[in-house]
Coordinates of all heavy atoms in Angstrom, one line a residue:
R281 N 19.9 -37.5 -0.7 CA 18.6 -37.5 0.1 C 17.5 -37.4 -0.9 O 16.4 -38.0 -0.7 CB 18.7 -36.2 1.0 CG 17.4 -35.8 1.7 CD 17.2 -36.6 3.1 NE 16.0 -36.2 3.7 CZ 15.9 -35.1 4.5 NH1 16.9 -34.4 4.8 NH2 14.8 -34.9 5.1
L282 N 17.5 -36.5 -1.9 CA 16.4 -36.2 -2.8 C 16.2 -37.6 -3.7 O 15.1 -37.8 -4.1 CB 16.7 -35.1 -3.6 CG 16.6 -33.7 -3.0 CD1 16.8 -32.5 -3.8 CD2 15.2 -33.5 -2.2
D283 N 17.4 -38.2 -4.0 CA 17.2 -39.3 -4.8 C 16.4 -40.4 -4.2 O 15.7 -41.2 -4.8 CB 18.6 -39.9 -5.2 CG 18.6 -40.9 -6.3 OD1 17.6 -40.9 -7.2 OD2 19.5 -41.7 -6.4
A284 N 16.5 -40.5 -2.8 CA 15.8 -41.5 -2.1 C 14.3 -41.0 -2.0 O 13.4 -41.9 -1.7 CB 16.3 -41.7 -0.7
L285 N 13.9 -39.7 -2.1 CA 12.6 -39.2 -2.0 C 11.7 -39.4 -3.2 O 10.6 -39.5 -3.1 CB 12.6 -37.8 -1.6 CG 13.1 -37.5 -0.1 CD1 13.2 -35.9 0.1 CD2 12.1 -38.1 0.9
G286 N 12.4 -39.3 -4.4 CA 11.6 -39.3 -5.6 C 12.3 -39.6 -6.9 O 13.3 -40.3 -6.8
D287 N 12.0 -39.0 -8.0 CA 12.6 -39.2 -9.2 C 12.8 -38.0 -10.0 O 12.5 -36.9 -9.6 CB 11.9 -40.3 -10.0 CG 10.5 -40.0 -10.4 OD1 10.2 -38.7 -10.5 OD2 9.7 -40.8 -10.5
S288 N 13.3 -38.1 -11.3 CA 13.5 -37.0 -12.1 C 14.4 -35.9 -11.5 O 14.2 -34.8 -11.7 CB 12.3 -36.3 -12.6 OG 11.4 -37.2 -13.5
L289 N 15.4 -36.4 -10.6 CA 16.2 -35.5 -10.0 C 17.3 -34.8 -10.9 O 18.0 -35.7 -11.5 CB 16.9 -36.2 -8.8 CG 18.0 -35.4 -8.0 CD1 17.4 -34.2 -7.4 CD2 18.6 -36.3 -7.0
V290 N 17.3 -33.6 -10.9 CA 18.4 -32.8 -11.6 C 18.9 -31.7 -10.7 O 18.1 -30.9 -10.3 CB 17.9 -32.3 -13.0 CG1 19.1 -31.6 -13.8 CG2 17.2 -33.3 -13.8
V291 N 20.1 -31.7 -10.5 CA 20.8 -30.6 -9.7 C 21.9 -30.0 -10.5 O 22.9 -30.6 -10.9 CB 21.4 -31.1 -8.3 CG1 21.9 -30.0 -7.6 CG2 20.3 -31.8 -7.5
V292 N 21.7 -28.7 -10.9 CA 22.7 -28.0 -11.7 C 23.2 -26.8 -11.2 O 22.7 -26.2 -10.1 CB 22.0 -27.6 -13.1 CG1 21.4 -28.8 -13.9 CG2 21.0 -26.6 -12.9
G293 N 24.4 -26.4 -11.6 CA 25.1 -25.1 -11.0 C 26.4 -25.4 -10.5 O 27.1 -26.3 -10.9
G294 N 26.7 -24.6 -9.5 CA 28.1 -24.7 -9.0 C 28.5 -23.3 -8.4 O 27.8 -22.3 -8.5
D295 N 29.6 -23.3 -7.8 CA 30.2 -22.0 -7.2 C 29.3 -21.4 -6.2 O 29.2 -20.2 -6.1 CB 30.6 -21.0 -8.3 CG 31.6 -21.5 -9.3 OD1 32.4 -22.2 -8.9 OD2 31.3 -21.3 -10.5
G296 N 28.7 -22.3 -5.4 CA 27.8 -21.8 -4.3 C 26.3 -21.7 -4.7 O 25.5 -21.4 -3.8
L297 N 25.9 -21.7 -6.0 CA 24.5 -21.4 -6.4 C 24.0 -22.6 -7.2 O 24.7 -22.9 -8.2 CB 24.4 -20.1 -7.1 CG 23.0 -19.7 -7.5 CD1 22.0 -19.7 -6.4 CD2 23.0 -18.5 -8.4
W298 N 22.9 -23.2 -6.9 CA 22.4 -24.4 -7.6 C 21.0 -24.2 -7.9 O 20.2 -23.5 -7.2 CB 22.7 -25.6 -6.6 CG 23.9 -25.7 -6.1 CD1 24.6 -25.1 -5.1 CD2 25.1 -26.5 -6.7 NE1 25.9 -25.5 -4.9 CE2 26.1 -26.4 -5.8 CE3 25.1 -27.4 -7.8 CZ2 27.4 -27.0 -6.1 CZ3 26.3 -28.1 -8.1 CH2 27.5 -27.8 -7.2
N299 N 20.5 -25.0 -8.9 CA 19.1 -25.0 -9.2 C 18.7 -26.5 -9.0 O 19.3 -27.4 -9.7 CB 18.8 -24.6 -10.6 CG 17.3 -24.4 -10.9 OD1 16.6 -25.4 -10.7 ND2 16.9 -23.3 -11.4
V300 N 17.7 -26.7 -8.2 CA 17.4 -28.1 -7.8 C 16.0 -28.4 -8.3 O 15.0 -27.7 -8.2 CB 17.4 -28.2 -6.2 CG1 16.9 -29.7 -5.8 CG2 18.8 -27.9 -5.6
H301 N 15.8 -29.6 -9.0 CA 14.5 -30.0 -9.6 C 14.4 -31.5 -9.2 O 15.2 -32.3 -9.4 CB 14.6 -29.9 -11.0 CG 13.4 -30.6 -11.8 ND1 13.3 -31.9 -12.0 CD2 12.2 -30.0 -12.2 CE1 12.2 -32.2 -12.6 NE2 11.6 -31.1 -12.7
V302 N 13.1 -31.9 -8.7 CA 12.9 -33.2 -8.3 C 11.4 -33.4 -8.4 O 10.6 -32.5 -8.1 CB 13.5 -33.6 -7.0 CG1 12.8 -32.8 -5.8 CG2 13.4 -35.1 -6.7
H303 N 10.9 -34.7 -8.6 CA 9.5 -35.1 -8.5 C 9.4 -35.9 -7.3 O 10.1 -37.0 -7.2 CB 9.1 -35.8 -9.8 CG 9.1 -35.0 -11.1 ND1 8.8 -35.6 -12.3 CD2 9.3 -33.7 -11.3 CE1 8.9 -34.7 -13.2 NE2 9.2 -33.5 -12.6
V304 N 8.5 -35.6 -6.3 CA 8.3 -36.3 -5.1 C 6.9 -36.4 -4.7 O 6.0 -35.6 -5.2 CB 9.2 -35.6 -4.0 CG1 10.6 -35.6 -4.2 CG2 8.7 -34.1 -3.8
D305 N 6.6 -37.2 -3.8 CA 5.2 -37.2 -3.2 C 5.2 -36.3 -1.9 O 4.2 -35.8 -1.7 CB 4.8 -38.6 -2.8 CG 4.4 -39.5 -3.9 OD1 3.6 -38.9 -4.7 OD2 4.7 -40.7 -4.0
D306 N 6.3 -36.1 -1.2 CA 6.4 -35.3 0.0 C 7.2 -34.1 -0.4 O 8.5 -34.0 -0.2 CB 7.1 -36.1 1.1 CG 7.0 -35.4 2.4 OD1 6.7 -34.1 2.4 OD2 7.2 -36.0 3.4
A307 N 6.4 -33.1 -0.9 CA 7.1 -31.8 -1.3 C 7.8 -31.1 -0.1 O 8.9 -30.5 -0.2 CB 6.1 -30.9 -1.9
G308 N 7.2 -31.2 1.1 CA 7.7 -30.6 2.3 C 9.1 -31.2 2.6 O 10.1 -30.5 3.0
A309 N 9.2 -32.5 2.4 CA 10.5 -33.1 2.8 C 11.7 -32.7 1.8 O 12.8 -32.5 2.2 CB 10.4 -34.7 2.8
A310 N 11.3 -32.5 0.5 CA 12.2 -32.1 -0.5 C 12.7 -30.6 -0.2 O 13.9 -30.3 -0.3 CB 11.5 -32.1 -1.9
V311 N 11.8 -29.8 0.4 CA 12.2 -28.4 0.7 C 13.0 -28.4 2.0 O 14.1 -27.7 2.1 CB 10.9 -27.5 0.9 CG1 11.4 -26.1 1.4 CG2 10.2 -27.3 -0.4
E312 N 12.6 -29.2 3.0 CA 13.4 -29.4 4.2 C 14.8 -29.9 3.9 O 15.8 -29.4 4.7 CB 12.7 -30.3 5.2 CG 11.4 -29.8 5.8 CD 10.6 -30.9 6.5 OE1 11.2 -32.0 6.8 OE2 9.5 -30.5 6.9
A313 N 15.0 -30.8 3.0 CA 16.4 -31.2 2.6 C 17.1 -30.1 2.1 O 18.4 -30.0 2.4 CB 16.2 -32.4 1.6
G314 N 16.5 -29.2 1.4 CA 17.3 -28.0 0.9 C 17.6 -27.1 2.0 O 18.7 -26.6 2.1
V315 N 16.7 -27.0 3.0 CA 17.1 -26.2 4.2 C 18.2 -26.6 4.9 O 19.1 -25.9 5.4 CB 15.9 -26.0 5.1 CG1 16.2 -25.3 6.4 CG2 14.8 -25.3 4.4
E316 N 18.3 -28.0 5.1 CA 19.5 -28.7 5.8 C 20.8 -28.5 5.0 O 21.8 -28.3 5.5 CB 19.1 -30.1 6.0 CG 18.0 -30.4 6.9 CD 17.7 -31.9 7.0 OE1 18.4 -32.6 6.3 OE2 16.8 -32.3 7.7
A317 N 20.6 -28.4 3.7 CA 21.8 -28.3 2.9 C 22.4 -26.8 2.8 O 23.6 -26.6 2.6 CB 21.6 -28.7 1.4
G318 N 21.5 -25.8 2.9 CA 21.9 -24.4 2.7 C 20.6 -23.5 2.8 O 19.8 -23.7 3.6
R319 N 20.6 -22.6 1.8 CA 19.4 -21.6 1.9 C 18.6 -21.7 0.5 O 19.1 -21.2 -0.5 CB 19.9 -20.1 2.0 CG 18.8 -19.1 2.2 CD 19.3 -17.7 2.4 NE 19.7 -17.1 1.2 CZ 18.9 -16.5 0.3 NH1 17.6 -16.5 0.6 NH2 19.3 -16.0 -0.8
P320 N 17.6 -22.4 0.6 CA 16.7 -22.4 -0.6 C 15.8 -21.3 -0.8 O 15.4 -20.7 0.2 CB 15.9 -23.7 -0.4 CG 15.7 -23.8 1.1 CD 17.0 -23.3 1.7
Y321 N 15.6 -20.8 -1.9 CA 14.7 -19.7 -2.2 C 14.1 -19.8 -3.7 O 14.5 -20.7 -4.4 CB 15.3 -18.4 -1.9 CG 16.5 -18.0 -2.9 CD1 16.4 -17.3 -4.0 CD2 17.8 -18.5 -2.5 CE1 17.5 -16.9 -4.8 CE2 18.9 -18.2 -3.3 CZ 18.8 -17.4 -4.5 OH 19.8 -17.1 -5.3
R322 N 13.3 -18.9 -4.0 CA 12.4 -19.1 -5.2 C 11.8 -20.5 -5.3 O 12.0 -21.1 -6.4 CB 13.3 -18.7 -6.4 CG 13.5 -17.2 -6.4 CD 14.3 -16.7 -7.7 NE 13.4 -16.7 -8.9 CZ 13.8 -16.2 -10.0 NH1 14.9 -15.5 -10.1 NH2 12.9 -16.2 -11.0
I323 N 11.2 -20.9 -4.3 CA 10.7 -22.3 -4.2 C 9.4 -22.4 -5.1 O 8.5 -21.5 -4.9 CB 10.5 -22.7 -2.8 CG1 11.8 -22.6 -1.9 CG2 9.8 -24.1 -2.7 CD1 11.6 -22.8 -0.5
R324 N 9.3 -23.3 -5.9 CA 8.1 -23.6 -6.7 C 7.7 -25.0 -6.5 O 8.4 -25.9 -6.8 CB 8.4 -23.3 -8.2 CG 8.8 -21.9 -8.5 CD 8.8 -21.7 -10.1 NE 9.5 -20.5 -10.4 CZ 10.7 -20.2 -10.7 NH1 11.5 -21.3 -10.7 NH2 11.2 -19.1 -11.0
I325 N 6.4 -25.1 -6.1 CA 5.8 -26.4 -5.9 C 4.7 -26.6 -6.8 O 3.7 -25.9 -6.7 CB 5.5 -26.8 -4.4 CG1 6.7 -26.6 -3.6 CG2 4.9 -28.1 -4.3 CD1 6.5 -26.8 -2.1
T326 N 4.6 -27.6 -7.7 CA 3.5 -27.8 -8.6 C 3.0 -29.2 -8.5 O 3.7 -30.2 -8.5 CB 4.1 -27.6 -10.1 OG1 4.7 -26.4 -10.3 CG2 2.9 -27.9 -11.1

Side-chain angles (χ1 to χ4, degrees):
R281 174 86 178 274
L282 294 179
D283 193 26
L285 286 175
D287 60 30
S288 297
L289 173 61
V290 185
V291 181
V292 304
D295 302 320
L297 180 62
W298 310 81
N299 191 305
V300 179
H301 170 280
V302 67
H303 294 173
V304 293
D305 279 322
D306 189 343
V311 175
E312 289 171 8
V315 173
E316 292 176 6
R319 188 179 78 85
Y321 61 98
R322 291 185 72 168
I323 300 167
R324 301 186 187 95
I325 300 174
T326 303

